[in-house]
Amino acid sequence: DAKTTQPPSMDCAEGRAANLPCNHSTISGNEYVYWYRQIHSQGPQYIIHGLKNNETNEMASLIITEDRKSSTLILPHATLRDTAVYYCIVRSPMYSGGGADGLTFGKGTHLIIQP
Amino acid sequence: DAGVTQSPTHLIKTRGQQVTLRCSPKSGHDTVSWYQQALGQGPQFIFQYYEEEERQRGNFPDRFSGHQFPNYSSELNVNALLLGDSALYLCASSFLRDFQETQYFGPGTRLLVL
């Protein structure tokens, strides 16, 4: 699975949009981009994933660049409860021959929402 | 619909002992993966179980073993505990035939080895 690079920390004001970047310049054509977050001492929470098209769900939006070398997770109206470590993960789909099926977590971005 | 559940929530053991952690997957899921998360680090993949067999394994010694039951629940066993095994142990469940196999995590079991 391709490696990802994320800033170690970011601040965002409550009520504003939080934009979390992720670089995955070595991503392969069939690899998906996944986002998880982990609030202190809890299990990681799935947020969203995508292949090439932009995706939106009730939690967030995922914008993937046309060359797929980077992506941005957008939390449209951040609240204090969004303070967490956000992980960007690139992963091959099942049966693609792309390595172990476990998720490879990096250090993520610690997003702090300021009141 | 209950999500992924794990037990116990916390556990204290001493070096050399053995421990068993338990996981019940989300309804409709048939696959369980286990992860270890040391303090300040991201989770690391231990192994994955499907159809009661270990499918994939990360870089962990064979002191770490597991089991999956016919109802898809799973156990993680760690033998000959070391101080360095102190960590949050996470279970994630998924549906293997889902091409994208999104994994959903439980709250974790925090293990302290003294």
Side-chain angles (χ1 to χ4, degrees):
Chain A
D1 295 337
K3 283 192 172 180
T4 61
T5 304
Q6 299 177 252
S9 65
M10 292 182 63
D11 287 349
C12 178
E14 190 177 18
R16 305 297 292 268
N19 296 279
L20 293 95
C22 179
N23 182 286
H24 32 79
S25 58
T26 61
I27 193 169
S28 301
N30 66 348
E31 287 182 318
Y32 284 77
V33 179
Y34 279 80
W35 283 83
Y36 283 81
R37 72 180 182 184
Q38 188 171 27
I39 296 168
H40 182 62
S41 294
Q42 298 181 21
Q45 178 187 23
Y46 165 75
I47 301 173
I48 198 167
H49 72 282
L51 182 62
K52 56 178 82 172
N53 298 319
N54 298 336
E55 302 287 345
T56 295
N57 64 19
E58 65 279 3
M59 287 184 67
S61 295
L62 173 60
I63 309 298
I64 303 174
T65 58
E66 194 168 339
D67 64 7
R68 304 210 323 121
K69 292 185 177 183
S70 66
S71 60
T72 301
L73 178 75
I74 301 172
L75 307 179
H77 306 286
T79 71
L80 298 178
R81 287 179 293 181
D82 292 322
T83 292
V85 177
Y86 287 77
Y87 295 100
C88 169
I89 298 167
V90 169
R91 186 161 181 249
S92 299
M94 286 299 300
Y95 304 117
S96 70
D101 293 319
L103 298 169
T104 301
F105 288 81
K107 294 189 182 299
T109 296
H110 188 195
L111 175 67
I112 299 171
I113 307 301
Q114 305 281 4
Chain B
D1 173 29
V4 180
T5 59
Q6 293 187 242
S7 62
T9 55
H10 296 81
L11 205 50
I12 299 175
K13 292 286 188 179
T14 56
R15 279 180 299 174
Q17 285 190 310
Q18 179 262 345
V19 69
T20 297
L21 311 181
R22 295 175 177 83
C23 172
S24 291
K26 195 172 156 66
S27 176
H29 285 183
D30 57 7
T31 302
V32 172
S33 303
W34 287 93
Y35 293 79
Q36 179 196 66
Q37 186 174 24
L39 207 58
Q41 305 295 319
Q44 283 198 295
F45 174 66
I46 303 174
F47 44 52
Q48 183 180 78
Y49 275 83
Y50 171 70
E51 289 190 339
E52 304 179 44
E53 291 194 356
E54 183 182 297
R55 288 191 64 251
Q56 293 284 350
R57 189 178 184 96
N59 189 24
F60 278 81
D62 56 13
R63 296 188 299 110
F64 290 77
S65 63
H67 189 77
Q68 186 180 34
F69 299 93
N71 67 353
Y72 309 119
S73 66
S74 176
E75 289 181 348
L76 165 66
N77 301 293
V78 186
N79 292 324
L81 285 167
L82 304 174
L83 296 179
D85 295 330
S86 295
L88 180 67
Y89 287 86
L90 296 158
C91 164
S93 76
S94 54
F95 179 58
L96 198 68
R97 285 179 290 273
D98 173 3
F99 187 63
Q100 294 153 41
E101 203 237 330
T102 301
Q103 296 187 7
Y104 294 85
F105 285 80
T109 293
R110 188 162 296 281
L111 173 65
L112 178 62
V113 182
L114 300 176

